[in-house]
Amino acid sequence: MRRVIRFHDLRREDVGLVGGKNASLGELITALGPAGVRVPDGFATTADAYRELVTTGGLRELIAVQVDRLHGGTPLSEVGAAIRSAVLAAPLPPALEHEVVEAYGRLSHETGRQDPDVAVRSSATAEDLPEASFAGQQETFLNVRGATALLEACRRCYASLFTDRAIDYRERMGFDHLSLALSVGIQSMVRSDLAGAGVIFTLDTESGFPGVVVVSAAWGLGETVVSGQVDPDEYTVFKPLLKDHRLDPVLNVRLGAKRCKAVYDDRGSTRTVDTDADEQARRVLGLGDIRTLAEWAVAVEEHYGCPMDLEWAKDGISGELYLVQARPETVQSRSGGGVLRRFRLTGTGERLVDGIAVGEAIGAGPVCALAEPVGLERFPQGAVLVTEITDPDWEPLMKRASAIVTDHGGRTSHAAIVSRELGVPAVVGTGSATAVLADGQVVTVSCAEGADGHVYGGPVPFEATETDLGSLPATRTKVMLNLADPGAAFRWWRLPADGVGLARTEFVVAHQARVHPMALVHPERLSAEDRRLVDELTYGYPDRTEYFVDRLAHGVARIAAPRWPDPVVVRTSDFKTNEYARLVGGTAFEPVEANPMIGWRGASRYYDPGYREGFALECRALRQARDERGLTNIVVMIPFCRTPQEADQVLAVMADNGLTRGANGLRVYVMAEIPANILLAGQFAERFDGFSIGSNDLTQLTLGVDRDSARLAHLFDERDPAVTRSIESLVATAHAAGRHVGLCGQRPSNDPDFTRFLVQAGVDSISVTPDSFAAVKRAVAAAEAAA
């Protein structure tokens, strides 16, 4: 009988012998170690060793009796406690004890350390299969030292096969308790208590977008990330450009609170301590480490042929990175990609708390606020579970919930992982849900509005729709998307769109940067309060302008990446002066205008001394996204450009800031939203590579109708002959000059007749909101068929 096997002697097909976790460690060491992927060495006990323990100790019969009692109605807690007590009381077979101690001695010799500290992890023989994951169901023990402590940890791992949460999970998944076995993995510890650790997914866990690697990182041992105790940093890395080392592949950086960390306890095991202010504000990983982990993750994914869920650790003594676990990702890999199901709020409510959205659904019900797990009879079916943090003991309640809300945790916390698997919407890391949400209060939990999740008071109406992507027709006219929120960009990657026809930078500036760019260039002009707010927002940036550039570059990159290599048309900022003034520090730089709609906006700002330095920051951000991150599918679009001479001035300012039309494939479009753009289309075509019709402003300015006036609403009509003839004229002139013409207004989304007109007029593309994409795509196909 093989009771103990070194990781070096294991392969991925040995799941039945040592469980998925240990088989994967062996596979990583043997198959990817030569390519530079580092994995701590160790050994594993076998399933045969477990069966020997169960058989010789009389445990098998006891387990069978207890499972029968469970099926007969005995409470789960009573059954689990009885089995665990019996396993802990049973002596380990002497041969197993001898082989474990002997293997531990070899590890001591190879590492050059007496009584080396090891991690002792459980690995069930059906664990980490693509169709199911037992992650977190059994126990892990860290910083175990000495043979006696190691044997005790092994015994406790065996007992953890029958924790209440593990029994409940197997009941739900239909696994036979007696057919399973458990292997114990003993692995050299990485001193990440002196550095950091975390989790890696080789896709976006919320949308399933496969083009990214998402790295979560926190200070100390990784158990705080996996358990959800800490809100970690999150780094999103773009796979297609990862191999080009001239580029920075990090699309987005989200700094977590990281308020605590797990470290070694001098008496053995581990303890949790608070982090200091510097650790909370500082990134755990630099670009070099992020790239290394992402490259390793892609190599593992390519080797396994499926999306992967990995754990990593950095040694604070040597500075080296390691992968410490690998398993197939089991949620998005099981979801079908042919049908796009989307939720949408159709009403409004008071926003009570915000956090990280997990999943893309909406749930509602009465709050059941709990400090610890309770019996199922005390948790109503369909209630909203509100608690500080969850662990596997909560799972019987979580599967009864309509939604889950936690104070703590990130996207890789226990609450996030399990809610994804159950298909239950969750908002994690709110910080204050247990204090704000009252027991019995009816709330609506929305994860359908991007990366941020929101909890609203009351039963807010919502709807769910399904789109069969395979049924959408092909069209000659390109159908593109209008997007603004980078946090929602990944949600729509499955839509067969031809790119993004309008990406609005205003959303990124208002919601992610929040500061007027000129306030970062000239802080001396700010009030004391605005200066304080700017200092708070830009903490950690010695050069405050880099804060704005980073935020805008990351936001634009996140929108552009899911559509790579299709074009993504990014419009430079088009706030009106009253909207700019609402940004932090904005009042110091914005005039009060009687009619901001036709005032100092768009192109006229970019070369003006009052905003030129702010526009330079926008240019730096776009150059960073295109040239440093490699997203050369970004097309820059200039709004509200009144004259050809103004176009020349704007293009000159762009060139001064590293955005030269034609350089590195840069195309520059202009919005066609002013009658002058139509009348002088030939001259604008000499300066720009394409036009995008802004039908709202074009209609307003052609008909002289305030688009916001309810009294004049009956006159505001994009199908008025004055407007449609302008569009037809523009298309003819632009095409004669070899220029692209698209339309990015709202009208095609709800007017098939207008869509038909656009197709007949010969526009090259129509850009619409994602929720109307399918309807417009079908309307375009019908119009093309009738032409």
Side-chain angles (χ1 to χ4, degrees), residues 358-359 361 398-404 415 418-426:
V358 178
M398 295 170 76
K399 68 180 181 180
R400 295 171 64 90
S402 63
I404 298 163
V418 173
S419 64
R420 281 188 208 102
E421 188 170 271
L422 296 175
V424 175

Side-chain angles (χ1 to χ4, degrees), residues 674-683 729:
I674 303 170
N677 302 140
I678 310 300
L679 296 171
L680 301 178
Q683 294 184 49
S729 172

Side-chain angles (χ1 to χ4, degrees), residues 312-356:
W312 65 271
K314 182 173 182 176
D315 194 298
I317 298 174
S318 68
E320 292 185 328
L321 294 165
Y322 293 87
L323 294 184
V324 296
Q325 285 196 48
R327 62 181 73 88
E329 191 275 339
T330 58
V331 177
Q332 291 293 345
S333 58
R334 290 189 311 218
S335 64
V339 176
L340 186 70
R341 191 164 191 255
R342 285 292 175 262
F343 288 76
R344 183 174 71 90
L345 291 172
T346 57
T348 58
E350 180 187 2
R351 217 160 81 185
L352 303 177
V353 294
D354 305 317
I356 299 170

Side-chain angles (χ1 to χ4, degrees), residues 373-452:
V374 297
L376 296 180
E377 69 281 357
R378 293 175 55 191
F379 188 88
Q381 183 76 36
V384 174
L385 174 61
V386 176
T387 188
E388 289 188 2
I389 190 174
T390 69
D391 60 33
D393 291 328
W394 290 85
E395 289 177 25
L397 302 181
M398 295 170 76
K399 68 180 181 180
R400 295 171 64 90
S402 63
I404 298 163
V405 184
T406 68
D407 285 347
H408 308 299
R411 297 186 196 281
T412 55
S413 65
H414 174 268
I417 292 171
V418 173
S419 64
R420 281 188 208 102
E421 188 170 271
L422 296 175
V424 175
V427 177
V428 301
T430 64
S432 61
T434 55
V436 174
L437 305 179
D439 199 54
Q441 175 185 13
V442 175
V443 298
T444 300
V445 179
S446 173
C447 296
E449 301 169 78
D452 294 331

Side-chain angles (χ1 to χ4, degrees), residues 12-220:
R12 62 192 293 189
E13 57 267 21
D14 291 324
V15 172
L17 183 63
V18 293
K21 191 177 297 180
N22 292 328
S24 286
L25 288 172
E27 184 75 11
L28 290 178
I29 289 173
T30 55
L32 294 169
V37 177
R38 285 188 292 273
V39 180
D41 203 1
F43 57 95
T45 67
T46 65
D48 290 338
Y50 168 81
R51 295 188 183 99
E52 181 183 32
L53 166 67
V54 171
T55 302
T56 59
L59 293 173
R60 184 176 181 84
E61 294 76 13
L62 181 144
I63 293 168
V65 169
Q66 293 298 328
V67 170
D68 286 342
R69 292 181 66 214
L70 176 67
H71 294 161
T74 302
L76 171 61
S77 58
E78 185 178 322
V79 168
I83 298 176
R84 292 193 301 275
S85 295
V87 175
L88 288 171
L92 295 177
L96 175 59
E97 284 197 2
H98 172 75
E99 292 189 30
V100 168
V101 172
E102 185 178 57
Y104 183 60
R106 284 197 302 271
L107 189 63
S108 174
H109 175 73
E110 290 167 358
T111 58
R113 299 187 313 228
Q114 184 176 1
D115 289 342
D117 47 330
V118 293
V120 183
R121 295 187 172 93
S122 311
S123 181
T125 55
E127 189 178 50
D128 301 334
L129 301 177
E131 66 272 14
S133 173
F134 291 172
Q137 299 300 321
Q138 284 80 47
E139 298 292 347
T140 291
F141 303 95
L142 305 178
N143 190 22
V144 176
R145 301 180 186 181
T148 301
L150 173 58
L151 292 172
E152 177 60 22
C154 290
R155 185 180 287 105
R156 292 167 68 187
C157 280
Y158 286 135
S160 75
L161 186 59
F162 295 95
T163 59
D164 294 353
R165 58 185 180 262
I167 295 171
D168 178 75
Y169 184 87
R170 292 195 294 271
E171 287 287 309
R172 282 194 284 122
M173 299 299 292
F175 286 95
D176 178 13
H177 300 282
L178 292 173
S179 68
L180 294 175
L182 189 129
S183 165
V184 180
I186 294 91
Q187 186 178 36
S188 292
M189 283 288 294
V190 176
R191 290 303 304 269
S192 59
D193 61 309
L194 304 175
V199 175
I200 309 171
F201 285 96
T202 61
L203 45 60
D204 177 58
T205 53
E206 308 314 319
S207 66
F209 175 51
V212 293
V213 172
V214 182
V215 181
S216 296
W219 301 112

Side-chain angles (χ1 to χ4, degrees), residues 465-605:
T465 58
E466 290 188 351
T467 301
D468 181 359
L469 300 179
S471 69
L472 295 179
T475 59
R476 296 187 304 276
T477 307
K478 295 183 183 298
V479 182
M480 307 172 80
L481 301 177
N482 291 339
L483 294 175
D485 182 2
F490 288 1
R491 297 177 61 206
W492 308 106
W493 72 272
R494 286 191 174 92
L495 285 179
D498 297 300
V500 173
L502 175 62
R504 303 180 183 91
T505 59
E506 298 94 276
F507 186 97
V508 183
V509 174
H511 294 273
Q512 297 192 13
R514 297 173 53 194
V515 182
H516 194 292
M518 291 297 289
L520 301 171
V521 179
H522 291 289
E524 74 279 358
R525 294 171 57 180
L526 302 179
S527 67
E529 175 60 14
D530 281 347
R531 188 78 175 263
R532 184 191 66 79
L533 289 172
V534 168
D535 288 344
E536 185 178 294
L537 288 169
T538 60
Y539 181 79
Y541 283 87
D543 180 351
R544 289 180 177 84
T545 63
E546 286 301 321
Y547 162 82
F548 183 91
V549 172
D550 270 2
R551 292 299 176 99
L552 184 54
H554 283 145
V556 169
R558 191 175 174 89
I559 292 173
R563 309 317 314 185
W564 172 267
D566 290 329
V568 173
V569 182
V570 178
R571 187 178 69 188
T572 49
S573 65
D574 193 26
F575 286 123
K576 286 74 175 175
T577 50
N578 59 322
E579 295 167 334
Y580 269 116
R582 289 198 287 267
L583 298 173
V584 175
T587 55
F589 303 94
E590 297 299 327
V592 176
E593 295 185 310
N595 193 345
M597 185 71 76
I598 54 172
W600 191 40
R601 62 177 286 200
S604 62
R605 299 178 63 94

